[in-house]
Amino acid sequence: KDPQDKNSLIPDPEAARVVGEIFQWYTQGMGKGAIAGRLNQAGEPNPTAYKARQGSNYRRPGGASDGLWSAATVGRILQNPVYAGTLVQGRQRVVSYKVHQTVEVPREGWYVVEGTHPPIVPPALFRRAQDLARRDTRRAPGRGEVHLFAGLLRCADCGKAMSRKTARNLAYYTCSTY
């Protein structure tokens, strides 16, 4: 938050650099687990550890943070529209003021306002990451790159994803439900 205007957000340069790298690496074909490993190897603190180092009074639910990145943390960053300059509120609501239980609100009930603050990630790069996340981009064991047809081939009968098989140096695709 901006110290002069608490209703305004300003980017943190160090965190913005890490978020920008995450989006760049992901759109270049690197997986979430590989990104987490790269950040851990570089010694970058995860968001919880970074907030603690900055002196924030932030407490996350669950156990204490070990400061390491995970694929889930990278995935949450890639899905968060705040990095593209869009503010989303009202994702959850409290059931009752007496019971502090929260429930998820359907997407139609969210409050979405675009352009509320300067984006850390260009909107086009954010949309590209969202398109990639919708595709099935899992890699075969031992393969470093995503295959050209990953997430694109579907069975004409059932609509399920096709699986790549190899036999005698020939590749073919088959439905995994047959």
Side-chain angles (χ1 to χ4, degrees), residues 158-171:
C158 68
K160 299 285 185 181
M162 303 286 280
S163 299
R164 186 173 190 262
K165 309 278 186 192
T166 55
R168 298 185 182 137
N169 293 330
L170 293 175

Side-chain angles (χ1 to χ4, degrees), residues 10-18 50 54 120:
I10 56 172
D12 176 355
E14 188 178 342
R17 177 189 56 80
V18 173
Y50 180 76
Q54 297 298 319
I120 292 174

Side-chain angles (χ1 to χ4, degrees), residues 88-96 101-112:
V88 179
Q89 293 180 312
R91 293 182 193 195
Q92 299 177 346
R93 66 176 176 80
V94 179
V95 176
S96 162
Q101 183 180 6
T102 60
V103 293
E104 299 292 322
V105 174
R107 192 175 282 269
E108 301 83 42
W110 293 358
Y111 298 99
V112 179

Side-chain angles (χ1 to χ4, degrees), residues 149-160:
F149 298 128
L152 297 177
L153 297 180
R154 299 273 175 198
C155 176
D157 295 331
C158 68
K160 299 285 185 181

Side-chain angles (χ1 to χ4, degrees), residues 58-136:
Y58 174 77
R59 299 281 185 266
R60 76 174 187 85
S65 173
D66 57 4
L68 296 177
W69 287 86
S70 69
T73 303
V74 172
R76 279 192 299 276
I77 288 173
L78 290 168
Q79 294 296 318
N80 194 344
V82 76
Y83 299 118
T86 300
L87 190 63
V88 179
Q89 293 180 312
R91 293 182 193 195
Q92 299 177 346
R93 66 176 176 80
V94 179
V95 176
S96 162
Y97 73 93
K98 292 181 180 180
V99 180
H100 299 288
Q101 183 180 6
T102 60
V103 293
E104 299 292 322
V105 174
R107 192 175 282 269
E108 301 83 42
W110 293 358
Y111 298 99
V112 179
V113 182
E114 295 183 13
T116 58
H117 55 277
I120 292 174
V121 176
L125 182 63
F126 183 80
R127 283 191 301 275
R128 172 84 174 119
Q130 302 315 296
D131 291 343
L132 284 174
R134 280 190 285 277
R135 286 182 55 191
D136 182 7

